[in-house]
Amino acid sequence: MNDAAPAPTPAPAPRRARVRAPELIGKGGWLNTGGKELSLAELRGRIVILDFWTFCCINCLHVLDELRELEEKHRDTVVIVGVHSPKFVHEAEHQAVVDAVERYGVEHPVLDDPELATWKQYAVRAWPTLVVIDPEGYVVAQHAGEGHAHAIERLVEELEAEHGAKGTLRRGDGPYVAPEPVATDLRFPGKAIALPSGNLLVSDTTRHQLVELGPDGEDVVRRIGRDGQFKEPQGLALLPDGKVVVADTVHHALRTFDPATGEIELLAGTGRQWWQGQPTSGPALDVDLSSPWDVAWWRGKVWIAMAGVHQLWTYDPETETVEVAAGTTNEGLVDGPGDEAWFAQPSGLAATEDRLWVADSETSALRYVDPEGAVHTAVGTGLFDFGHRDGDAAQALLQHPLGVTALPDGSVAVSDTYNHALRRYDPATGQVTTLATDLREPSDAVLVGDDIVVVESARHRLTRLRLPEEAVRVESVAHRTQRAATEVAPGRLQLDVVFQAPAGQKLDTRYGPSTRLLVSSTPPELLLTGEGTGTDLARELALNPEVTEGVLHVSAMAASCDDTASHSGSAAGANEYPACHMHQQDWGVPVRLVDGGTSRLPLVLAGMDPAEAS
């Protein structure tokens, strides 16, 4: 054993701002606690991490996965509490939250907050947001978006040491109580296709398998996938050679399954999640992907609904390469050339000769790509308006659709997931109608002869329907997202994105500025000045007093790296290639212009807003 020099005495940690944590309240009550209600007082002595999430949000699902390792490693000191804060009306239904907690394998207590009471108490502005509460009940950090698990783990270790020394840390088992498992042949199935044999192939998402069913859609022929080959698989597409390409969503990969031999092979992806700044094209097995949700064969390529980054990608079997085909990674509804269009969690694809149809879930929209690669919107208006309204496509409404199916007459069926309905859009007439209701979270549908087989995800089954000759009459409803608009003063508005590099890290400036800020608005006329991209996280905006309300779209990114010089005690000990981390978040902030409104809009990416902390 070699002798080592004594470790240098670490510098004292900077004093953290301390804000008393508001109580946890939500009319939906508690899940995963065995029926017990929790309070912050009962959790005193533990480090509490609040995860503000909603189950439609792909970034929230990414954060659930990011937190699993930390949750296991610090199980005796940390209690993670999911605060379910709905965007869509359906997400405020208690049973829908119960289903989502099982569907995504959430293994910590969850507070169902359908009226956003706790969300408002903590002044949260984005999904997902993480709030860290110390063992004495004070908020010590807030993080919006993805990529913060490393920073939170570092903070947890500091809090363990600090409160262990003070005697204010309480170790032991947490309050999580696992629900009773339920036996069904399928569990939250995602997508389905018809095989040439006449059987149906279904992605059995929560069980991490594919299931081949007989033509009746009920008898299990075989289960495919073992030992972690798939993780929450979703989309399926039949290739010309008879193989099936599978969107292996949580593995961030595409795989092929050969029904003839049973062989499963990796087609694209590295198993790592794509982050800003990484390659967007290249050899398929060398490029990271991000939550591929559906796949389709169109014009000689596999098209990929890359929900995790709000884009469409393609895989070319001739060159075995992938590349971005449409989308900028900004979240929203913008049509135009592929490299300028915006999507929001594209989750369903269907190919016809001259169109690739896209179910764009977060904008509650039906979109399509034309042969020249341009993106168009058939139904939908944006991130905040949704509902169930038939009629002319310009005023029709959907609610978070996950699937789209091409019909023989040139129209398409839309799996209108959060409306529990199957809808139809006819390009020839521009009309939207309702084909069927009383479904439960339909996520896909497949034509079988004169019938359409619907994947009823939350009923854990396939349901066969005869395509009706006449539409179902449904009373029209329209909704806006439950988030209240922020009242701002017309004219000057100071936008401050708060970012504090985590302890032991510094901004990565080796290759230029390490931060980026992109600002735009809906409608565009809302912003007189201040739109566009820059490197400063603070910006002065000018709001048009003639526009009474709208949405500010803010996208922020910051790169930080381990400050190895400070860890080693000297520059000589610094690592030339320190570990670096990307922090990023998109906000859509509804605003209403009123006299006397605020003239400052703080958005916390990481840290604490100095104006709020004391």
Side-chain angles (χ1 to χ4, degrees):
M1 184 171 66
N2 295 327
D3 292 332
T9 302
R15 182 178 179 274
R16 277 188 290 270
R18 286 161 59 89
V19 178
R20 176 64 72 179
E23 191 51 83
L24 306 178
I25 53 175
K27 284 198 172 180
W30 289 87
L31 305 176
N32 284 354
T33 63
K36 180 181 179 181
E37 293 192 3
L38 299 182
S39 68
L40 285 178
E42 294 175 74
L43 299 175
R44 193 65 54 82
R46 310 297 290 273
I47 300 162
V48 178
I49 300 173
L50 303 182
D51 177 14
F52 289 87
W53 70 298
T54 189
F55 63 79
C56 72
C57 164
I58 189 66
N59 311 92
C60 298
L61 304 186
H62 289 166
V63 167
L64 281 175
D65 290 329
E66 287 179 6
L67 291 176
R68 293 187 200 279
E69 184 177 345
L70 181 148
E71 189 171 19
E72 180 60 35
K73 184 176 178 182
H74 298 273
R75 187 169 292 278
D76 66 333
T77 60
V78 170
V79 174
I80 295 177
V81 174
V83 182
H84 189 268
S85 313
K87 171 184 175 182
F88 291 99
V89 168
H90 170 59
E91 292 173 323
E93 298 175 17
H94 182 70
Q95 185 57 48
V97 181
V98 173
D99 288 344
V101 167
E102 180 190 350
R103 183 194 298 261
Y104 298 116
V106 180
E107 296 184 351
H108 51 247
V110 173
L111 174 64
D112 181 10
D113 183 18
E115 297 180 352
L116 302 180
T118 295
W119 166 287
K120 294 170 186 174
Q121 287 275 74
Y122 282 82
V124 175
R125 295 184 184 273
W127 295 279
T129 291
L130 298 170
V131 175
V132 182
I133 301 172
D134 73 12
E136 294 180 293
Y138 289 92
V139 174
V140 292
Q142 182 171 324
H143 301 265
E146 302 177 50
H148 301 294
H150 65 282
I152 291 177
E153 179 163 16
R154 179 70 184 270
L155 176 57
V156 164
E157 291 170 349
E158 290 182 0
L159 292 171
E160 286 176 339
E162 176 185 341
H163 289 273
K166 289 172 63 175
T168 50
L169 182 70
R170 178 166 57 89
R171 296 179 180 269
D173 294 333
Y176 169 68
V177 178
E180 290 292 324
V182 181
T184 53
D185 286 336
L186 300 174
R187 205 69 192 161
F188 299 105
K191 306 286 186 181
I193 59 169
L195 296 173
S197 66
N199 288 345
L200 295 165
L201 187 65
V202 185
S203 54
D204 195 19
T205 304
T206 298
R207 295 223 176 97
H208 314 295
Q209 291 182 324
L210 310 182
V211 177
E212 186 175 343
L213 301 174
D216 62 359
E218 295 182 7
D219 292 335
V220 175
V221 175
R222 58 175 163 168
R223 295 185 176 275
I224 300 114
R226 62 188 188 283
D227 302 327
Q229 285 178 301
F230 298 113
K231 192 167 185 182
E232 295 184 23
Q234 287 283 349
L236 307 167
L238 192 64
L239 300 179
D241 63 4
K243 294 182 180 179
V244 176
V245 61
V246 182
D248 193 3
T249 305
V250 176
H251 278 150
H252 307 295
L254 301 185
R255 300 184 195 277
T256 56
F257 163 64
D258 188 338
T261 65
E263 187 174 359
I264 298 170
E265 294 183 340
L266 181 63
L267 188 71
T270 64
R272 297 183 300 271
Q273 182 184 340
W274 185 92
W275 288 92
Q276 288 283 358
Q278 293 180 327
T280 55
S281 64
L285 297 177
D286 296 339
V287 178
D288 296 344
L289 308 181
S290 182
S291 298
W293 205 273
D294 203 6
V295 282
W297 178 257
W298 191 54
R299 296 185 167 258
K301 295 181 180 180
V302 175
W303 285 68
I304 309 161
M306 203 72 77
V309 286
H310 318 299
Q311 292 179 314
L312 302 181
W313 289 39
T314 59
Y315 167 79
D316 187 336
E318 291 190 3
T319 61
E320 298 183 343
T321 58
V322 292
E323 64 178 351
V324 174
T328 64
T329 75
N330 294 316
E331 185 178 14
L333 193 153
V334 176
D335 290 339
D339 60 355
E340 298 177 8
W342 292 21
F343 292 95
Q345 287 180 217
S347 301
L349 300 175
T352 63
E353 184 176 346
D354 61 349
R355 291 185 181 184
L356 179 72
W357 293 97
V358 182
D360 201 28
S361 62
E362 278 292 283
T363 53
S364 297
L366 175 65
R367 322 274 299 275
Y368 66 90
V369 181
D370 67 25
E372 284 70 47
V375 178
H376 310 263
T377 297
V379 183
T381 60
L383 285 165
F384 299 99
D385 293 286
F386 54 90
H388 192 142
R389 182 193 287 155
D390 289 330
D392 186 74
Q395 54 86 51
L397 293 172
L398 309 169
Q399 186 179 179
H400 197 80
L402 290 178
V404 58
T405 307
L407 301 178
D409 64 357
S411 66
V412 291
V414 179
S415 295
D416 193 5
T417 309
Y418 287 3
N419 280 328
H420 310 300
L422 191 67
R423 312 286 293 284
R424 177 177 179 264
Y425 168 69
D426 187 351
T429 64
Q431 295 293 301
V432 176
T433 54
T434 297
L435 297 175
T437 59
D438 193 31
L439 302 168
R440 187 68 185 171
E441 291 192 16
S443 54
D444 197 20
V446 57
L447 279 175
V448 179
D450 294 329
D451 297 338
I452 189 164
V453 176
V454 180
V455 180
E456 277 199 271
S457 187
R459 282 199 178 114
H460 319 292
R461 71 186 188 192
L462 304 187
T463 298
R464 185 180 294 263
L465 306 172
R466 180 59 52 95
L467 279 171
E469 294 182 4
E470 294 186 6
V472 179
R473 295 185 64 85
V474 175
E475 185 177 351
S476 293
V477 293
H479 304 288
R480 297 213 86 198
T481 182
Q482 294 190 51
R483 279 189 293 172
T486 299
E487 293 189 345
V488 298
R492 177 187 174 278
L493 178 67
Q494 179 63 37
L495 172 65
D496 291 324
V497 174
V498 177
F499 178 76
Q500 295 157 0
Q505 294 181 29
K506 60 183 180 181
L507 289 174
D508 178 15
T509 56
R510 292 172 298 161
Y511 309 109
S514 60
T515 55
R516 186 191 72 169
L517 180 65
L518 171 65
V519 180
S520 63
S521 67
T522 302
E525 297 78 21
L526 174 63
L527 276 176
L528 294 174
T529 62
E531 68 175 344
T533 303
T535 58
D536 193 342
L537 293 181
R539 187 178 301 179
E540 185 174 304
L541 311 179
L543 304 183
N544 187 347
E546 297 182 6
V547 179
T548 57
E549 61 181 304
V551 179
L552 291 174
H553 302 282
V554 180
S555 178
M557 183 176 70
S560 64
C561 289
D562 290 346
D563 188 359
T564 52
S566 65
H567 291 182
S568 64
S570 69
N575 184 350
E576 186 179 356
Y577 303 103
C580 296
H581 312 276
M582 189 67 69
H583 316 259
Q584 61 186 76
Q585 174 63 17
D586 294 340
W587 291 268
V589 183
V591 295
R592 183 180 299 112
L593 275 63
V594 297
D595 291 334
T598 184
S599 60
R600 177 177 181 263
L601 178 62
L603 300 174
V604 178
L605 178 60
M608 295 282 287
D609 179 13
E612 297 291 331
S614 60

